[in-house]
Amino acid sequence: MNLAQGVFDHGPPAQVLAALTEVGAGTEHQYAPSAGHPVLRAALAGRYGPLDPDTEITVCAGATEAYYSTMAALIRPGDEVIVVEPAYEQYAPVITGFGGIVRPVRLTGPGDRLDAAALAAVTSPATRVIVVNSPWNPFGRCLDELEWQAVAELAETRGVVVVSDETYEHLVLDGRPHRGVLERVADPELRVKISSASKTLAVTGWRVGWALAGPGLTARIRAAHQFVTFCPAAPLQLAVARVLDSPDFDDLITSTVTGMAEQVTGFVHTLTGLGIPTRVPEAGFYVLADVGDDATAWCERMVLDHGVAGLPLSVFYSHPVPEAASMVRFALCKQPSTLAEASRRLQARLAPSRPA
């Protein structure tokens, strides 16, 4: 039972498959424009506007390539980049690959908050970028008003570009609308919003993502992007555009979020009943559990002896964090039958023994 990776073990919703079928027999089987198919860029502008689809939107091969191309546009050797940890494993290697220097800010639990003092402590004249993730993998929450205020102030006073990974933006489990970097940082040349269809539509293999930025910054991102992948698959771009433009898109998101919230709450209840402190996340489909033991050793035992894979929270930090040593992340973007079987195996292994 692979609860370690944020990979779905089922296909996308029927509406998404129908959109793919509708475009599959068409003639769009050659290269799309490198900046992204105009139909998809228009759909994204309609969802995120006001944005100019011709100058402010770049479609990439997933959020990961969008991030890579953005860093290529922003970083030169010796530049410093603030990364708020725990952080997705791709962030730091891309920065160092371009000769940048990572300056981490470490939060130890979902209850910790990012503030201006923590950012000031790692900011220098060489600071060019800050990378944030909201909604946040693995913490399962969004940056709050005060955290965004601190980030926006850094951008406005120091000219630091805010790169915000918002891949889970549509998966806020209480149904509240997501407010990210486009709403928080006023200058479009000091902000990049990165997102994708992967988690929203359960199509991680489609590799359709995007970077949204001001015209000057977008031109630089596109200059890098065209020499990385040139363009994602044209039929998949068109299928994503159909879903985004559909009048049923909001209902699709509501249904997805409702089902995800039920699965997450149920699994948290299972772990809590086993004496493992676990909190219901605010967003996304990851839960953090305190297993009360070294998380790496615990995960090894679980996967080898009981066939349930989780991921130690420690892998999201660049240096050991004692407060995270016993924390395990579970990815719950799975079929109900998968989670039921994982719960059964965990209960068989961890349930308190009953007196005879």
Side-chain angles (χ1 to χ4, degrees):
M1 304 289 106
N2 180 13
L3 307 187
Q5 293 176 294
V7 178
F8 298 84
D9 66 348
H10 55 81
Q15 299 97 309
V16 179
L17 292 176
L20 179 61
T21 300
E22 289 166 6
V23 303
T27 59
E28 299 279 358
H29 297 289
Q30 309 308 319
Y31 296 123
S34 181
H37 197 290
V39 172
L40 177 54
R41 283 187 279 126
L44 292 168
R47 283 286 161 188
Y48 293 122
L51 291 172
D52 185 336
D54 293 326
T55 64
E56 296 184 294
I57 298 174
T58 307
V59 179
C60 300
T64 299
E65 194 254 310
Y67 171 77
Y68 182 95
S69 294
T70 297
M71 291 295 108
L74 290 171
I75 297 174
R76 298 297 178 267
D79 288 346
E80 296 182 2
V81 179
I82 299 171
V83 174
V84 182
E85 295 183 350
Y88 181 49
E89 62 186 4
Q90 296 282 353
Y91 296 164
V94 172
I95 294 165
T96 57
F98 288 120
I101 300 167
V102 176
R103 298 298 187 201
V105 174
R106 298 187 184 94
L107 278 65
T108 60
D112 287 355
R113 289 296 182 267
L114 182 67
D115 59 30
L119 294 179
V122 294
T123 301
S124 79
T127 304
R128 299 289 178 264
V129 181
I130 178 171
V131 180
V132 297
N133 181 200
S134 181
W136 198 338
N137 169 26
F139 273 173
R141 70 171 181 85
C142 302
L143 296 183
D144 65 23
E145 292 288 339
L146 291 178
E147 290 175 307
W148 271 119
Q149 183 177 324
V151 171
E153 182 179 347
L154 180 68
E156 292 162 6
T157 61
R158 303 295 293 268
V160 173
V161 178
V162 181
V163 175
S164 183
D165 180 351
E166 302 181 11
T167 304
Y168 301 90
E169 62 182 313
H170 293 297
L171 301 180
V172 180
L173 299 184
D174 63 5
R176 286 179 298 160
H178 173 259
R179 295 185 69 227
V181 72
L182 298 184
E183 296 80 13
R184 312 292 185 152
V185 178
D187 187 342
E189 298 297 337
L190 291 177
R191 68 187 188 206
V192 183
K193 175 189 176 82
I194 291 173
S195 191
S196 79
S198 293
K199 303 302 195 292
T200 298
L201 304 181
V203 289
T204 59
W206 285 20
R207 313 313 299 139
V208 178
W210 43 85
L212 315 179
L217 186 47
T218 292
R220 293 161 62 190
I221 293 170
R222 290 178 176 182
H225 160 70
Q226 69 176 331
F227 295 112
V228 179
T229 58
F230 189 78
C231 69
L236 301 181
Q237 292 190 54
L238 288 171
V240 171
R242 281 179 178 262
V243 175
L244 293 177
D245 278 338
S246 168
D248 299 327
F249 179 74
D250 291 337
D251 291 338
L252 171 62
I253 295 302
T254 298
S255 175
T256 298
V257 167
T258 299
M260 191 68 70
E262 290 175 357
Q263 292 194 178
V264 166
T265 302
F267 198 79
V268 168
H269 179 74
T270 295
L271 293 177
T272 302
L274 294 173
I276 299 175
T278 312
R279 61 187 292 166
V280 177
E282 173 186 328
F285 43 67
Y286 301 109
V287 300
L288 291 178
D290 187 346
V291 299
D293 194 359
D294 177 79
T296 300
W298 189 92
C299 287
E300 289 177 353
R301 291 198 302 273
M302 285 299 132
V303 74
L304 292 174
D305 297 341
H306 306 284
V308 178
L311 192 66
L313 181 59
S314 59
V315 304
F316 293 90
Y317 291 98
S318 55
H319 293 281
V321 174
E323 296 87 344
S326 61
M327 301 299 294
V328 173
R329 190 202 74 173
F330 294 100
L332 306 183
C333 51
K334 314 295 177 178
Q335 299 181 77
S337 59
T338 301
L339 297 181
E341 175 61 16
S343 296
R344 186 195 68 76
R345 295 183 187 187
L346 290 171
Q347 288 170 333
R349 169 65 177 84
L350 302 172
S353 58
R354 296 184 176 91

